[in-house]
Amino acid sequence: MNSDNPAPIVLAPKPSLTYRLVSNLLVFPVFRGLFRGSTEGNERVPAQGPLVVVANHGSHLDPPLLGHALGRPVAFMAKAELFEVPLLGPLIRACGAYPVRRGASDREAIRTATARLQEGWATGVFLDGTRQPDGRVNQPLAGAALLSARSGAPLLPVAIVNSHRALGTGRTWPRLVPIQLRIGDLVPPPTGRRRADLDATTAELQRRINALLDQAGPRP
């Protein structure tokens, strides 16, 4: 490789008009107003280039809150059926969501997410894969580490504090408790794609996110 010709930096996609409207007119007042939301560590978020955003998962509030609080669009997987719903389909697509077919293999989902990273997106991954009643990282999966290893994108651990108490599993109506997002330091990609490498990075992400959750913070 010629060191005089470094690889170009992949710029992050510019937020669409729909994304800006949803973020500013819907997510902002809900997060900042109703839930007295706050963020900590925004200076750690790279402004450009591919990024794997890794977080705990406590409620359905988490995807829009992450995209709003990080200051750049974050793409998430969504069931393909949702893209066929009038109004909802175009809306979530404009906000960076990408479809995954019901029954699709994990390999296909990884390929789709990797393509998003190559386009310069920040791609969001919930480390447990599903919502956790206690809002912590309990049984982390290696998908985020594999995405990072395949794409070379760094990993950004984010702790979402109190969303499981606001609208967690089993709740129909939200509780208006303070929600805070705490952004940690970047984690480099795994050293390889071997299972041991992926598991080591996954365990480190779990440790960092749970440590961020354990910091003293807002609780009514």
Side-chain angles (χ1 to χ4, degrees):
M1 179 180 296
N2 187 348
S3 60
D4 294 332
N5 296 293
I9 296 175
V10 181
L11 300 180
K14 292 183 178 180
S16 66
L17 176 59
T18 302
Y19 183 94
R20 294 197 302 270
L21 289 174
V22 170
S23 181
N24 294 330
L25 300 182
L26 179 60
V27 180
F28 179 84
V30 169
F31 178 50
R32 304 288 180 173
L34 288 180
F35 293 107
R36 292 162 282 166
S38 62
T39 60
E40 180 182 289
N42 282 85
E43 70 279 359
R44 300 186 177 101
V45 181
Q48 302 291 349
L51 180 69
V52 181
V53 180
V54 189
N56 57 309
H57 193 18
S59 83
H60 292 311
L61 296 169
D62 298 337
L65 293 186
L66 272 176
H68 168 75
L70 264 64
R72 59 179 288 187
V74 179
F76 283 92
M77 299 180 191
K79 292 184 295 185
E81 293 85 351
L82 296 178
F83 291 83
E84 300 171 3
V85 178
L87 297 180
L88 177 63
L91 181 64
I92 61 175
R93 188 182 296 276
C95 291
Y98 52 94
V100 176
R101 293 183 292 105
R102 186 183 298 274
S105 66
D106 290 341
R107 183 171 298 180
E108 181 177 344
I110 289 290
R111 282 200 300 265
T112 303
T114 301
R116 282 288 186 174
L117 287 167
Q118 291 171 344
E119 295 169 1
W121 279 91
T123 297
V125 178
F126 295 117
L127 207 52
D128 284 292
T130 59
R131 291 176 296 160
Q132 301 295 300
D134 61 358
R136 298 179 67 80
V137 178
N138 296 308
Q139 295 180 321
L141 305 175
L146 179 58
L147 271 179
S148 177
R150 284 171 59 98
S151 65
L155 299 127
L156 184 71
V158 179
I160 308 174
V161 182
N162 269 353
S163 74
H164 70 290
R165 300 181 64 234
L167 192 63
T169 55
R171 293 198 63 87
T172 302
W173 296 98
R175 295 177 60 198
L176 302 183
V177 297
I179 295 178
Q180 184 181 55
L181 274 76
R182 299 172 183 161
I183 303 167
D185 292 319
L186 288 172
V187 175
T191 55
R193 299 188 194 181
R194 296 177 305 170
R195 187 71 196 192
D197 300 324
L198 301 181
D199 286 347
T201 297
T202 301
E204 178 63 13
L205 290 167
Q206 178 186 24
R207 185 192 68 78
R208 292 196 187 199
I209 292 172
N210 284 340
L212 289 168
L213 289 170
D214 289 337
Q215 293 177 3
R219 186 182 179 94

